[in-house]
Amino acid sequence: MPWFGLGVYKAKEGEEVKSAVKTALDVGYRSIDTAAFYENEKGVGQAIREYGIPREEVFITTKVWNSDQGYESTLQAFEKSRKELAVDYIDLYLIHWPGKDKYNDTWKALEKLYREGHVRAIGVSNFQIHHLEDLISKNELVPMVNQIEYHPRLTQKELHEYCSDHNIMLEAWSPLMRGQILDNEVIVSLAKKYNKTPAQIILRWDLQKGVITIPKSVSEHRIRENAHIYDFAIAMEDMAKIDSLNKNERVGPDPDSLVF
């Protein structure tokens, strides 16, 4: 799985999402993250085919939505997503949110899809430690990925450590905090020091923390700019400065409050 990819949340189906994906592929992105809830899977699949890149060179992630959770309904939702994307297999399939009590049945459906080769990897999104503990204790396979809200204001250190201890890769959604942290004085000062943009500083921080990152954008300039994070490294003392910005502050829902 690539360490860096494009998120397409809120990218409109049709030309907008297709243009974003094609730009990303042109720059060198090889991971595209979508979801049934985003309602743009068809455009993602079309963009990949129209660009002409071999299917095996692109890592595609999608997710089962809350209303489709449950064993049979998840299998049906997966088949719908696969048809929308028009692919033979999906690289990573995630449970979008834990909810209250359906995720174990949903996970059993993901295990079936994995064993049958319809997906290359399975994981979860927005799962807290107690969700993971329950899931692992009742099922055969441990999630391979946990995609969570993760940025300098929400580092979720204990969850990160738990995932590391259980060989679960952490992946950051909203790594730029929807732009709300780009004007932070610490981030801005480091951007000047390294001659990079604030976004590039944060995305590089993700990689050095061992976190997969998938910034979303439909702007050609931003998509290209965000990718330029491999030609520098942030010093340990500066990493610590960014770490110190944590306030356990969310821009998305609290997984323990989003009950369905």
Side-chain angles (χ1 to χ4, degrees):
M1 182 178 184
W3 283 91
F4 183 80
L6 177 72
V8 296
Y9 175 52
K10 290 192 174 179
K12 296 177 183 177
E13 178 65 288
E15 289 307 312
E16 184 173 84
V17 73
K18 286 168 63 177
S19 177
V21 171
K22 289 178 182 178
T23 296
L25 293 173
D26 198 46
V27 175
Y29 290 63
R30 290 297 179 265
S31 175
I32 309 296
D33 179 273
T34 184
F37 179 69
Y38 302 169
E39 297 183 339
N40 56 21
E41 291 171 311
K42 183 176 291 185
V44 169
Q46 288 176 340
I48 292 170
R49 290 192 304 279
E50 289 175 10
Y51 189 81
I53 190 170
R55 167 68 185 93
E56 62 272 13
E57 293 184 18
V58 184
F59 192 97
I60 301 174
T61 299
T62 193
K63 313 173 190 77
V64 57
W65 183 238
N66 306 341
S67 57
D68 290 320
Q69 282 211 41
Y71 186 79
E72 292 295 340
S73 51
T74 292
L75 295 177
Q76 294 170 9
F78 171 82
E79 187 58 24
K80 182 179 179 181
S81 287
R82 192 192 64 78
K83 287 182 178 179
E84 288 287 290
L85 288 160
V87 294
D88 294 329
Y89 65 92
I90 289 171
D91 295 282
L92 175 62
Y93 199 43
L94 304 177
I95 300 176
H96 208 144
W97 290 89
K100 185 180 179 181
D101 56 12
K102 290 185 177 181
Y103 58 80
N104 279 302
D105 287 338
T106 303
W107 186 251
K108 285 177 171 54
L110 266 63
E111 288 185 331
K112 173 182 171 64
L113 292 167
Y114 175 73
R115 290 195 178 96
E116 293 180 351
H118 300 301
V119 295
R120 298 290 179 86
I122 53 176
V124 296
S125 185
N126 301 300
F127 273 49
Q128 301 297 290
I129 292 175
H130 68 93
H131 298 123
L132 291 168
E133 288 178 333
D134 181 59
L135 188 74
I136 292 170
S137 70
K138 295 177 181 176
N139 295 280
E140 295 182 24
L141 299 179
V142 175
M144 299 163 192
V145 174
N146 187 15
Q147 185 183 115
I148 63 170
E149 181 179 346
Y150 183 93
H151 45 70
R153 291 290 194 200
L154 184 68
T155 57
Q156 306 203 63
K157 185 177 179 181
E158 290 183 2
L159 177 57
H160 193 174
E161 291 175 349
Y162 180 89
C163 288
S164 295
D165 290 343
H166 290 79
N167 294 317
I168 302 170
M169 292 301 301
L170 208 64
E171 182 175 21
W173 65 259
S174 195
L176 304 179
M177 201 180 175
R178 297 178 183 169
Q180 295 178 27
I181 200 169
L182 297 180
D183 60 354
N184 176 271
E185 60 182 17
V186 172
I187 301 296
V188 171
S189 67
L190 291 175
K192 291 178 180 177
K193 175 179 177 179
Y194 291 93
N195 194 29
K196 289 290 182 178
T197 67
Q200 289 167 340
I201 291 294
I202 294 170
L203 297 174
R204 181 68 203 185
W205 172 77
D206 282 343
L207 298 188
Q208 291 185 213
K209 296 290 287 186
V211 176
I212 298 164
T213 189
I214 47 169
K216 69 179 183 68
S217 181
V218 295
S219 162
E220 179 178 350
H221 173 71
R222 293 296 185 192
I223 291 171
R224 292 182 180 276
E225 188 177 76
N226 287 344
H228 296 153
I229 56 174
Y230 294 100
D231 58 351
F232 77 109
I234 301 172
M236 292 301 295
E237 62 268 23
D238 292 331
M239 289 289 291
K241 290 178 183 178
I242 302 174
D243 292 348
S244 70
L245 298 176
N246 179 57
K247 289 187 175 181
N248 298 322
E249 182 180 342
R250 296 181 181 274
V251 292
D254 183 333
D256 287 326
S257 299
L258 189 67
V259 179
F260 54 88

